């Protein structure tokens, strides 16, 4: 592992800790399994507890940037949930592997989960969006040789994802706003 790789993950972690000052932040070294380690050898998941900025849990990747950066610029991901659960650590690790394993995600992209976000949920896709719950201060993380952009992995339904494909990302976000959708509610109804 290069010094630049280690340094990038440390800077992302420091950025997340500073943003979530007053929150408990736990670093989870997540082993994504044999055959995948070479893609994401340095993956960590930062588990952020509720606190002054948010009453929800946040799960943030640290290690995507170093595996997939281009010209010093790359992505990390955040998922926000209503509880602390290993399931969400596994999901952000899945996002990281999907992104770094050849599917290169970006803003307004989506990925299938292959099952409900949590048992009983109708959300079975993740939409990559701006981190609206946390704002631009979390989104932009300056690195010594570029920057990491932290984007939100928002659980959505298959019908919402299909609506987005047909009508655009902005149209779906408008429906979310009109429905006053609570993005951390795993049992929310589809807005479409």
């Amino acid at each position: 592992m290069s010094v630049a790789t280690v340094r990038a993950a440390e800077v992302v972690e420091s950025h997340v800790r500073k943003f979530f000052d007053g929150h408990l932040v736990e670093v989870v070294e997540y082993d994504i399994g044999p055959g995948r380690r070479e893609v994401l050898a340095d993956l960590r998941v930062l588990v952020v507890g509720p606190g002054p900025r948010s009453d929800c849990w946040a799960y943030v990747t640290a290690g995507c940037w170093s595996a997939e950066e281009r010209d010093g610029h790359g992505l990390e991901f955040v998922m926000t949930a209503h509880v602390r659960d290993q399931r969400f650590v596994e999901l952000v690790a899945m996002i990281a592997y999907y992104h770094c394993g050849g599917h290169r995600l970006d803003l307004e992209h989506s990925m299938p989960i292959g099952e409900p976000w949590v048992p009983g949920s109708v959300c079975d896709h993740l939409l990559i969006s701006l981190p609206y719950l946390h704002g631009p201060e979390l989104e932009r993380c300056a690195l010594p040789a570029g920057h990491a952009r932290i984007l939100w992995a928002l659980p959505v339904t298959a019908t919402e994802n299909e609506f987005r494909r047909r009508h655009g990302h902005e149209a779906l976000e408008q429906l979310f706003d009109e429905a006053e959708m609570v993005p951390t509610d795993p049992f929310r109804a589809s807005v479409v």
Side-chain angles (χ1 to χ4, degrees):
M1 190 179 322
S2 75
V3 171
T5 297
V6 171
R7 180 72 181 127
E10 288 172 351
V11 171
V12 169
E13 181 181 338
S14 177
H15 173 77
V16 169
R17 285 182 184 280
K18 182 178 178 186
F19 179 81
F20 286 107
D21 186 35
H23 294 248
L24 177 64
V25 179
E26 176 188 354
V27 179
V28 177
E29 303 282 339
Y30 188 79
D31 184 356
I32 60 174
R36 296 179 176 175
R37 279 187 207 105
E38 51 276 357
V39 173
L40 278 165
D42 190 40
L43 179 66
R44 305 173 210 182
V45 177
L46 308 173
V47 179
V48 181
R53 279 201 179 261
S54 172
D55 63 352
C56 295
W57 290 81
Y59 300 82
V60 187
T61 63
C64 287
W65 179 92
S66 52
E68 194 60 27
E69 63 90 11
R70 296 206 177 140
D71 299 321
H73 306 289
L75 300 179
E76 297 289 350
F77 301 94
V78 60
M79 177 179 281
T80 308
H82 60 298
V83 296
R84 188 197 196 300
D85 194 305
Q86 184 65 20
R87 168 71 173 156
F88 304 121
V89 172
E90 293 165 1
L91 279 172
V92 294
M94 179 192 332
I95 296 163
Y97 180 73
Y98 188 86
H99 173 67
C100 296
H103 295 281
R104 195 153 171 86
L105 293 167
D106 207 343
L107 186 62
E108 299 182 8
H109 289 186
S110 65
M111 68 171 268
I113 300 173
E115 60 190 18
W117 178 38
V118 299
S121 176
V122 293
C123 297
D124 59 0
H125 284 70
L126 295 172
L127 177 62
I128 306 305
S129 185
L130 294 174
Y132 292 117
L133 292 181
H134 306 297
E137 297 88 27
L138 178 64
E139 179 187 351
R140 293 267 176 209
C141 174
L143 297 171
H147 80 275
R149 191 173 188 195
I150 301 173
L151 296 178
W152 187 19
L154 171 64
V156 297
T157 68
T159 55
E160 290 167 345
N161 197 46
E162 186 55 36
F163 178 90
R164 178 193 60 85
R165 283 190 181 128
R166 280 194 234 139
H167 304 283
H169 190 86
E170 226 16 77
L172 179 59
E173 287 189 345
Q174 182 66 37
L175 287 180
F176 288 155
D177 288 344
E178 290 169 4
E180 297 179 358
M181 187 261 293
V182 177
T184 57
D185 177 3
F187 306 111
R188 71 174 181 81
S190 179
V191 301
V192 177

